[in-house]
Amino acid sequence: MRCHRGHLHEVRATSTNGVAAEDPIVSVTMPPVPADPPRRSPDGHPPARPRSPARDASPAGGAGGAGGGGGPSRLMVSVGVALASTAAAAIARRVTYGPMRSTPPVPARLPHTLKFGKVDGEARGDNLMDPPRTGVDDLYWLRDDTRSDKDVIAHLKAENAYTNYVTKDQRGLRKRIYQEMLSHVQQTDEAAPYKVGGFLYYTRTVEGKAYTLYCRKAIAGLDADGTSGGVTVPDEGQVTWADDALSGEEVYLDANVLAKGAKHFSVRSVIPSPDHAFVAYSVDVTGYETYEVRVRHIATGVERPVDTIKETSGGMEWGRDNTTLFYGTLDEAHRQNKVWRRTFASRDADTGASATTEPVDDCLHTEDDEVFSAFVSKSVSNRFMFFGSGSSETSEVHWVDLDAEAAARAAGAPAPPSVLVEPRVPGVLYDVTHAGGETLLVVTNRGGATNFMLAATTVGAPGAATWEDVLPYDAAVKVDSVECFARYAVLHLRKGGFTRLSVVPLTGDGDGPRTLDVAARKMLDFDEEAYVVSGAYGAEFHSRSFRFGYSSMTTPRQTWAYDGVTHARTLLKEKPVPAYDRSLYRSERWEATADDGTVIPMSAVYRIDKRAAAGTPQATHLYGYGSYEISIDPSFSATMLPLLDRGVMYVVAHVRGGGEMGRTWYESAKFGTKVLTFTDFIACGRSLVERRVTSPAQLTIEGRSAGGLLVGAVLNMAPDLFNGAIAGVPFVDVLTTMADSSIPLSCGEWLEWGNPNTEKGFKDIAAYSPVDNVRDGVAYPAVLFTAGLNDPRVGYWEAAKMVAKLRAATSADARARPILFKCDLDSGHFSASDRYKYWRERSFELAWLLARHSMHD
């Protein structure tokens, strides 16, 4: 999913209707992932929470840097890098584990002028500094938007060779950790199936195969649309089917076959057509998150090249039948700026044959403001296709009535015009859901509802003037979103730092108004103190039951069915974790006090029999994020077990800037107060030391993406607090990146970080931007930086520059505290797409961490 500098998702392939991965089979995440999507995907309905536009790197052939224009000639660096590359190649012939070099590469310093403020011909925002400030970046040449410059690639390979050399004594440990990871994975597994029409859909994996299989089975006695001979079958809350009530398995998409020959292969959305004869799916073969949408006729496997759509974000939605497909495309800045409706000629469901070949594309929406991204999504009721634009602070929603559109098509009339719900108002976010009949529900922060409120309106008069409160506003409860079904609505809430679900009955039938029976609402309760619950999904609009996911730091992910009428729960599946005894592990909630007195929660998990006696410090690994209102919730991750089983405690710091404690938690650490994210994290680390949970010599830290920014800032602010850090795909060159409007979506994230082309924005960001705050003569701890060459969210060059600056500045012994950089030349922001390769990559990182804790077994 294109979003921001988000950390690694557990779900690699997602779908707006859940077909792709409604129950993740393989946990490849460390640490626990947010329960909700980390950010509004540009092709998804904008949530009530604020989300910034996607952060992507510049496309191939893009413009140059902050001062405009491309980088300088590489002549001055080519000789040195070429020699290094030659030496590495010679070593490679003598070893079997990959190229090695015993000294770190030293990139040439080529001064490049940066400009912050007004630059003619560039869209840099308002209130610009004029004349602009100037600066010098002598490592700017490491940025190559084409990802093909031979000198840059040689430098990255030399970095990998040095990292390989320094960590060569960890090879055995890596292998053991990799085998341990495999021992905790049921490699051949399948997700809990769920009903759509006359089929049960599910995904599964096979031992030895890297990618997912997408499968279905027909339900006996039901037609494809879920009826029986055109007669609606009563929904009695059924959630499981016996084998004799199902047909044989049909693998309608095998990503292993599709991925042959590709170094990277990512499937994003997989959505069957309403008649279940076709499937639309999207793939990315570079890691740059530019997806190609393909349409396959399931029975024959035929895909017509003319149906393929390129340059998309990967999300799409079918209309009322198999003749319309809604999707979004990207502009040159990799921002989804257009929403389209593709109309196919009538096609035969049995053969896929069509009288004509050329589909027709109509643009429904164009967003010209670089701060906003476009989105498209379909209501669960299947009546409305919502689309529009959103930024981290403002949104507006339009819709197309699919029923009216189908009626017009049948009558040979033009499609009716779209409807605007409410024009955008700066600072007002709202999300619209169809509750059935003529009722719409709206989640919004309008009127000062900082933690969002729930309102109702009508299809006939949807504007804000008609919005009526239906749930009393509670500043202590964050209303994230609402999902509506025929007989009930499911509220997604956040209270006291945890996710919650509340089921509210809906009354009223037919085409009339629907009413929420708020007095009868029921909150789902669970036995564990700290957990994460996510849903609702995998349900048809008229279904009595919906799915939700549940997990804690000691409970593997569970998939439950919940009957919204009887409130009965059915456990459908718990993710198998072989060789795991949950009774050996314990999770606790701790607290730290920030410098300003704010209480910062922490989630901890450890192995009980490995816990040191009270007052005896032990090895501890501290993770943090703290941006975009993303919440790092206490969920299970099998990839943590190699640490826990060796006696390392794992702790998540729920710092400000995230969304754990609601919208105010996020807004309290933005712009000029962003530094609170970093000081909160330091306060958590110091609290662990002061309580003698650990000591600086036994403390390591980690963060990914914007969490990598957290690590980079803390490196500069408190280098003596820990002895090792992992900064994954780190956003560490904030000042330069955010000043450069040619870098995709920097404009959109001015609402997240500030605009360094303004006086205030420059001052705010310069105070913490890691690359710009490296200090000479400081004994920096050991650090492992990782990046993906094709990352569209955080350019690999950010890590490369930070590494070079730290090595030049540190006073520490490079052998005792090495600064390492590992760049995956085949992947993007989310590491390897091949699950086995991902586990190997994670094994590398965990072995490095354990080595910092002097654990080599």
Side-chain angles (χ1 to χ4, degrees):
M1 150 187 331
R2 280 196 324 132
C3 43
H4 51 84
R5 305 175 180 90
H7 71 281
L8 184 64
H9 300 278
E10 178 171 351
V11 181
R12 298 302 184 88
T14 59
S15 169
T16 48
N17 70 353
V19 168
E22 53 89 13
D23 179 16
I25 295 174
V26 180
S27 175
V28 294
T29 301
M30 188 291 192
V33 298
D36 300 306
R39 198 174 186 193
R40 177 197 48 73
S41 158
D43 60 284
H45 208 185
R49 76 189 73 193
R51 294 291 185 256
S52 305
R55 157 57 55 196
D56 293 80
S58 183
S73 167
R74 310 295 196 269
L75 255 169
M76 296 174 64
V77 298
S78 61
V79 174
V81 176
L83 288 173
S85 180
T86 300
I91 295 173
R93 289 191 291 270
R94 298 195 299 270
V95 298
T96 60
Y97 208 82
M100 291 193 299
R101 55 175 291 156
S102 60
T103 58
V106 180
R109 302 284 182 148
L110 306 177
H112 177 81
T113 300
L114 303 173
K115 293 182 179 180
F116 303 90
K118 183 178 180 181
V119 175
D120 291 339
E122 295 187 21
R124 292 198 164 203
D126 302 320
N127 303 315
L128 303 176
M129 293 184 287
D130 188 16
R133 288 177 181 254
T134 59
V136 175
D137 181 358
D138 56 11
L139 294 172
Y140 182 81
W141 70 271
L142 287 169
R143 172 184 168 185
D144 172 34
D145 294 337
T146 70
R147 273 76 170 177
S148 62
D149 184 283
K150 60 183 179 62
D151 298 327
V152 172
I153 298 299
H155 177 76
L156 298 178
K157 289 182 177 179
E159 287 282 11
N160 287 345
Y162 177 62
T163 296
N164 196 18
Y165 175 82
V166 173
T167 62
K168 64 182 184 297
D169 60 341
Q170 298 166 19
R171 293 176 188 171
L173 181 56
R174 284 179 224 157
K175 292 178 180 178
R176 288 191 292 276
I177 292 174
Y178 177 71
Q179 291 302 322
E180 289 174 33
M181 285 187 177
L182 290 185
S183 75
H184 296 307
V185 175
Q186 186 165 303
Q187 297 179 55
T188 296
D189 194 15
E190 68 179 48
Y194 61 94
K195 178 182 177 295
V196 182
F199 296 87
L200 291 185
Y201 282 89
Y202 58 99
T203 57
R204 64 180 178 88
T205 55
V206 176
E207 184 172 356
K209 292 189 176 183
Y211 298 102
T212 301
L213 283 73
Y214 300 84
C215 313
R216 70 183 185 184
K217 295 180 180 179
I219 301 173
L222 295 184
D223 299 329
D225 62 1
T227 66
S228 180
V231 177
T232 299
V233 177
D235 177 11
E236 298 178 351
Q238 184 174 7
V239 293
T240 59
W241 281 260
D243 289 342
D244 59 4
L246 303 172
S247 68
E249 179 182 80
E250 181 179 16
V251 179
Y252 63 90
L253 206 66
D254 185 344
N256 297 283
V257 175
L258 297 171
K260 285 184 178 178
K263 293 182 178 179
H264 180 95
F265 190 84
S266 173
V267 176
R268 177 174 172 190
S269 296
V270 179
I271 308 180
S273 60
D275 65 355
H276 302 269
F278 296 85
V279 60
Y281 67 100
S282 55
V283 297
D284 165 31
V285 296
T286 67
Y288 194 69
E289 298 176 62
T290 299
Y291 290 84
E292 181 176 281
V293 173
R294 304 171 182 173
V295 178
R296 166 175 292 207
H297 182 245
I298 293 176
T300 63
V302 171
E303 297 179 9
R304 302 189 311 171
V306 71
D307 293 340
T308 297
I309 310 169
K310 299 181 182 296
E311 302 296 323
T312 84
S313 67
M316 63 278 179
E317 296 280 7
W318 289 99
R320 294 290 287 173
D321 53 36
N322 67 29
T323 63
T324 55
L325 189 68
F326 294 78
Y327 63 95
T329 54
L330 308 171
D331 64 9
E332 293 181 355
H334 216 260
R335 173 182 66 102
Q336 184 161 288
N337 70 322
K338 292 180 183 292
V339 174
W340 300 81
R341 174 177 52 215
R342 167 162 288 197
T343 304
F344 302 96
S346 180
R347 295 178 292 179
D348 184 86
D350 293 329
T351 66
S354 173
T356 60
T357 59
E358 294 291 339
V360 177
D361 293 291
D362 298 309
C363 186
L364 298 178
H365 180 70
T366 299
E367 179 53 64
D368 293 322
D369 190 332
E370 295 92 343
V371 172
F372 288 78
S373 290
F375 61 85
V376 60
S377 68
K378 188 165 61 172
S379 65
V380 177
S381 68
N382 290 321
R383 177 178 170 185
F384 294 104
M385 189 67 66
F386 293 108
F387 62 90
S389 298
S391 73
S392 65
E393 297 184 344
T394 306
S395 63
E396 71 173 25
V397 179
H398 307 244
W399 80 60
V400 167
D401 188 326
L402 297 177
D403 288 348
E405 183 182 82
R409 185 185 300 113
S418 61
V419 175
L420 171 62
V421 175
E422 175 70 14
R424 67 185 70 175
V425 175
V428 175
L429 287 154
Y430 71 94
D431 183 21
V432 183
T433 304
H434 183 218
E438 294 300 300
T439 300
L440 303 170
L441 294 182
V442 182
V443 177
T444 181
N445 65 348
R446 185 173 179 267
T450 305
N451 264 342
F452 292 79
M453 56 170 286
L454 184 65
T457 187
T458 64
V459 172
T466 68
W467 295 356
E468 296 184 359
D469 295 1
V470 296
L471 189 69
Y473 176 66
D474 185 346
V477 178
K478 169 71 186 300
V479 180
D480 267 340
S481 60
V482 60
E483 208 63 63
C484 290
F485 302 91
R487 284 168 279 194
Y488 55 90
V490 182
L491 297 179
H492 299 248
L493 309 172
R494 183 169 287 277
K495 182 178 180 180
F498 299 106
T499 52
R500 305 296 301 272
L501 292 180
S502 180
V503 180
V504 188
L506 269 168
T507 61
D509 297 315
D511 297 329
R514 314 290 309 290
T515 302
L516 281 173
D517 186 357
V518 175
R521 67 185 185 273
K522 183 176 179 60
M523 189 79 73
L524 275 67
D525 294 318
F526 303 92
D527 294 333
E528 294 183 276
E529 177 186 4
Y531 60 85
V532 55
V533 58
S534 60
Y537 58 87
E540 298 171 290
F541 184 66
H542 293 283
S543 174
R544 269 179 31 182
S545 298
F546 66 90
R547 306 294 182 87
F548 69 85
Y550 175 89
S551 176
S552 74
M553 296 185 91
T554 58
T555 301
R557 179 180 170 85
Q558 297 173 339
T559 301
W560 289 81
Y562 186 92
D563 192 315
V565 177
T566 67
H567 302 293
R569 304 183 195 184
T570 303
L571 177 61
L572 300 177
K573 182 181 179 67
E574 180 173 291
K575 178 180 171 56
V577 182
Y580 170 67
D581 179 356
R582 74 187 67 192
S583 68
L584 296 176
Y585 305 85
R586 179 174 297 161
S587 174
E588 296 180 4
R589 194 76 157 181
W590 297 339
E591 292 179 344
T593 302
D595 295 342
D596 61 1
T598 301
V599 175
I600 312 301
M602 295 181 284
S603 295
V605 64
Y606 56 88
R607 182 160 161 162
I608 299 170
D609 59 340
K610 301 288 185 178
R611 181 73 189 269
T616 303
Q618 72 180 90
T620 301
H621 188 55
L622 181 64
Y623 185 91
Y625 189 76
S627 292
Y628 301 108
E629 204 186 344
I630 288 177
S631 301
I632 308 300
D633 289 310
S635 62
F636 183 83
S637 176
T639 57
M640 286 305 306
L641 294 177
L643 292 185
L644 302 180
D645 289 345
R646 287 170 172 81
V648 179
M649 301 186 69
Y650 176 64
V651 183
V652 177
H654 302 292
V655 296
R656 281 174 284 187
E660 287 89 341
M661 307 299 288
R663 173 73 172 182
T664 54
W665 201 245
Y666 161 67
E667 290 189 338
S668 64
K670 285 182 68 177
F671 306 130
T673 58
K674 185 60 192 173
V675 69
L676 291 176
T677 297
F678 318 131
T679 56
D680 283 358
F681 189 81
I682 292 170
C684 289
R686 286 179 175 158
S687 173
L688 295 175
V689 171
E690 291 167 0
R691 294 168 54 195
R692 297 189 61 79
V693 171
T694 189
S695 66
Q698 296 168 291
L699 179 62
T700 54
I701 65 173
E702 182 176 8
R704 286 185 52 85
S705 201
L709 160 63
L710 166 66
V711 168
V714 171
L715 279 170
N716 290 322
M717 297 171 69
D720 58 344
L721 184 57
F722 47 93
N723 84 6
I726 292 181
V729 289
F731 178 39
V732 287
D733 197 13
V734 189
L735 198 63
T736 300
T737 294
M738 292 309 303
D740 187 351
S741 59
S742 75
I743 292 180
L745 304 177
S746 284
C747 299
E749 292 204 354
W750 290 336
L751 298 178
E752 179 71 28
W753 309 101
N755 182 358
N757 295 301
T758 67
E759 191 74 43
K760 184 179 187 305
F762 183 92
K763 179 181 178 181
D764 291 344
I765 297 173
Y768 64 79
S769 179
V771 162
D772 301 288
N773 283 278
V774 173
R775 294 176 288 153
D776 289 333
V778 171
Y780 283 99
V783 190
L784 172 62
F785 290 86
T786 65
L789 177 65
N790 297 317
D791 189 343
R793 304 173 191 235
V794 180
Y796 68 86
W797 53 84
E798 299 205 22
K801 290 164 67 173
M802 185 72 178
V803 166
K805 289 205 167 190
L806 284 173
R807 284 189 190 135
T810 186
S811 62
D813 184 342
R815 291 169 297 181
R817 300 183 180 183
I819 310 295
L820 304 179
F821 179 31
K822 190 173 188 294
C823 186
D824 190 328
L825 302 179
D826 296 321
S827 74
H829 196 69
F830 299 115
S831 188
S833 59
D834 178 319
R835 60 175 178 156
Y836 292 99
K837 182 179 178 182
Y838 174 81
W839 289 324
R840 289 190 182 93
E841 293 296 315
R842 190 56 189 162
S843 297
F844 182 97
E845 295 169 356
L846 293 185
W848 185 87
L849 278 177
L850 289 170
R852 296 311 305 165
H853 290 293
S854 300
M855 298 178 179
H856 302 286
D857 296 327

